[in-house]
Amino acid sequence: MPGVTKLYVAQPRVYCCSSCHAHLTHHDDIYSKNFQGRHGRAYLFNNVVNVALGSKEQRLLITGLHTVADILCTSCNEVLGWKYEHAFDPSQKYKEGKFIVEKAKIVKDKW
């Protein structure tokens, strides 16, 4: 995405896009490591940077129906995971506003 300013995560233990190495988030923003993505294991993060949101859509996931939007790296357009916009099941509301990032799509930096 030309013209997009990339943010730099000035923290130790940074996670980056595995395709272009743009900073995404840091270790302290992990909410849970016990999630499943489209391509295997995934982490649930409180915050991520350098991502753009795709269109919102309803998906039937392992834990029920959710409204989600894919997240794409703003540097290389790689789909990294998704953002939980709405959870229909009250027990899943804690996910709203958080981000799934697939382990296969990230690499560690400054560890």
Side-chain angles (χ1 to χ4, degrees), residues 61-105:
L61 303 172
I62 294 170
T63 56
L65 186 63
H66 298 270
T67 302
V68 300
D70 284 342
I71 55 171
L72 297 86
C73 176
T74 55
S75 294
C76 68
N77 285 328
E78 181 76 22
V79 176
L80 303 169
W82 61 84
K83 180 180 181 183
Y84 284 102
E85 297 287 351
H86 178 71
F88 292 89
D89 182 335
S91 71
Q92 301 300 308
K93 292 284 189 189
Y94 73 95
K95 296 177 185 174
E96 291 180 347
K98 293 182 175 58
F99 302 84
I100 286 289
V101 180
E102 302 207 34
K103 272 186 77 174
K105 304 287 182 144

